[in-house]
Amino acid sequence: MKRLHILLLLLAVTGLTACRGSKVSEEFLLTPGLCLEENGRMVFNYNPDNCQIACNPDRKQFRVMDDTMSRFYLLTCSALPSSVGQVLTADIRWVSGDSAQNLAGLEFKVEKLEDGQAWLWCQRRKIAVSVRLLP
């Protein structure tokens, strides 16, 4: 019986740790600015003093970059984010410091929409990204 309790406890702990990281962090959803996170690590954080943003609704494309284009992220979506819970396919590319990625066909879920800004989450790759829809 003691072994059964230990086994059940071990399974419960394993299950809890396996679920960690399966949801977007509340901290990310409360971030007012634009940013990109991978596995909970900040890859790029928009700073209005030395960064720019661009949105091309026709191409369903969002770009956030520093003034020198040495750090940026580019998100190209299958559809514009329009409602919480919406799932869309997107390609994402970024360069930041010594990190560079180019990922295609990722599934993102719109987690939050507020004042023209969208917070998206790719559970499979643990990527959180926010973009702004410009008029």
Side-chain angles (χ1 to χ4, degrees):
M1 188 65 142
K2 186 175 182 179
R3 286 184 187 169
L4 180 60
H5 288 278
I6 292 171
L7 181 60
L8 289 174
L9 180 61
L10 192 59
L11 287 172
V13 169
T14 304
L16 288 173
T17 56
C19 291
R20 187 174 293 154
S22 64
K23 296 185 97 177
V24 67
S25 75
E26 191 65 30
E27 182 179 311
F28 173 75
L29 294 176
L30 294 174
T31 303
L34 303 174
C35 62
L36 167 68
E37 292 182 3
E38 180 187 34
N39 289 314
R41 178 184 66 87
M42 184 67 68
V43 175
F44 188 94
N45 194 5
Y46 172 79
N47 177 345
D49 293 334
N50 62 6
C51 293
Q52 301 173 37
I53 60 173
C55 171
N56 184 327
D58 294 335
R59 296 171 92 179
K60 301 168 194 77
Q61 193 172 74
F62 303 91
R63 206 169 40 248
V64 180
M65 64 244 143
D66 69 4
D67 289 340
T68 64
M69 281 297 290
S70 61
R71 299 176 335 126
F72 69 89
Y73 63 90
L74 172 67
L75 184 75
T76 305
C77 302
S78 59
L80 291 174
S82 59
S83 62
V84 173
Q86 174 188 11
V87 177
L88 48 89
T89 303
D91 301 339
I92 189 164
R93 180 175 173 213
W94 74 77
V95 173
S96 182
D98 60 352
S99 173
Q101 287 286 336
N102 194 7
L103 304 168
L106 300 181
E107 190 173 272
F108 283 88
K109 181 179 177 186
V110 178
E111 296 288 338
K112 180 179 173 183
L113 280 172
E114 188 175 281
D115 298 327
Q117 186 166 325
W119 289 259
L120 308 171
W121 170 245
C122 174
Q123 181 175 339
R124 184 171 64 91
R125 291 297 302 248
K126 309 295 184 264
I127 297 172
V129 61
S130 53
V131 294
R132 183 169 315 279
L133 295 145
L134 299 174

